[in-house]
Amino acid sequence: MYEELENIKEKCLSCQKCTLAKSRNKVVFSGGIPNSKLMLIGEAPGYWEDQKGVPFVGKAGQLLDKILECVGLSREKDVYICNTIKCRPPENRNPLPEEKLACEEYLKAQIDILKPRIILVCGNIALNTMLPNERGITRARGKWFDGPYGSKMMPIFHPSYLLRNDSKEKGSPKWLMWQDIKEIKKEYDKLN
Ligand code: URA
C-alpha cells in the first residue's frame, strides 16, 4: 500500500495542475507516519512548510506538537499529517476553489490508500473540504462525524487560531481544544 502512496507522492511532487506550482518552493505532501490510525488534515503549507517540504513545522506546527504531546501522542509514532492543498498560496491567503479542485485527487488518494480510523479536520478550510454542509469550525468542533471507510472524523480548531487566542479560561478556544484532544485520545486508545 505504501508503494501506491509513493507513486501518488511522486506525481504530486511534480504537479503543475494549478498556478501555485509557479510560486511554490517545495510541495508539502505529508508528515508523520503512514501506518497510523490517526490522520490530521490541515489547511495549506505556510512559509516554513514551503521551505522544508514538511507540514506543520512553523509556529502553528510547534503548538500542534505540544497539543499532541499533552495526551502522549506524537507525529513520529501516532499521526499521519497532511493538508487540504499541497502547495503554499502566496502570502498565506486562503486556497482558491480551483486550487482545491486541482489538489483534491491527492488528499483523496491519501485517505483511500491509508484508510485512517480517526480523521482530525483541522480548521475551517479542512472543514469545508471534508464536511461541506457544516457551518463553521466553532459549531462543528468537538463533535464526531461519520467519515470515509467507517472512520470517525472530528473537526478541531486550527492551532494558528489558538495562537491568536491566548486565554486558557473555561470555554476559551484553548480550553475547548484541551477537551477535544482528551476525547480524541480516549477514542484512539479504543482502537486495536
Ligand atoms: N497550517 C496548516 O494548515 N498546515 C500546515 O502544514 C502548516 C500550517
Side-chain angles (χ1 to χ4, degrees):
M1 102 177 163
Y2 299 135
E3 196 182 316
E4 215 182 325
L5 195 62
E6 278 305 309
N7 291 341
I8 299 288
K9 180 174 176 179
E10 216 166 287
K11 181 174 171 197
C12 184
L13 294 187
S14 58
C15 182
Q16 302 286 334
K17 280 166 67 184
C18 82
T19 52
L20 296 182
K22 305 258 179 310
S23 56
R24 76 178 174 226
N25 186 44
K26 284 195 173 152
V27 175
V28 180
F29 186 72
S30 69
I33 53 163
N35 63 337
S36 169
K37 299 176 180 118
L38 187 56
M39 175 184 281
L40 181 138
I41 304 173
E43 180 180 330
Y47 175 81
W48 286 109
E49 291 77 20
D50 177 64
Q51 292 293 309
K52 298 189 176 180
V54 181
F56 283 101
V57 287
K59 273 198 175 158
Q62 286 159 22
L63 179 56
L64 175 66
D65 285 342
K66 271 196 203 161
I67 292 165
L68 294 171
E69 254 172 50
C70 279
V71 291
L73 296 172
S74 77
R75 68 167 87 192
E76 288 78 26
K77 61 179 176 56
D78 303 293
V79 192
Y80 181 83
I81 302 179
C82 57
N83 282 308
T84 307
I85 65 164
K86 314 304 189 204
C87 296
R88 182 190 182 211
E91 313 301 325
N92 297 346
R93 62 157 169 72
N94 286 344
L96 301 173
E98 59 268 31
E99 292 159 359
K100 287 175 81 172
L101 196 67
C103 224
E104 202 176 60
E105 66 164 305
Y106 303 118
L107 179 61
K108 188 175 181 311
Q110 286 170 313
I111 295 171
D112 289 348
I113 294 166
L114 296 174
K115 298 185 178 57
R117 308 277 302 276
I118 297 175
I119 300 178
L120 305 182
V121 179
C122 190
N124 263 320
I125 303 287
L127 182 71
N128 288 341
T129 301
M130 299 304 295
L131 291 158
N133 294 329
E134 287 305 304
R135 285 188 291 156
I137 196 72
T138 304
R139 283 186 193 212
R141 61 132 285 280
K143 296 181 190 154
W144 288 113
F145 293 84
D146 292 333
Y149 305 103
S151 63
K152 294 181 87 172
M153 287 198 291
M154 185 189 281
I156 56 172
F157 284 132
H158 196 284
S160 58
Y161 176 66
L162 302 179
L163 286 172
R164 298 193 296 270
N165 291 274
D166 207 42
S167 167
K168 290 192 177 102
E169 265 175 48
K170 191 170 177 182
S172 66
K174 276 193 174 161
W175 183 86
L176 292 169
M177 178 60 113
W178 175 232
Q179 312 311 306
D180 295 348
I181 198 69
K182 283 191 291 185
E183 168 63 22
I184 290 156
K185 178 61 165 41
K186 207 165 82 185
E187 207 56 38
Y188 182 74
D189 285 342
K190 284 189 205 161
L191 301 174
N192 42 31

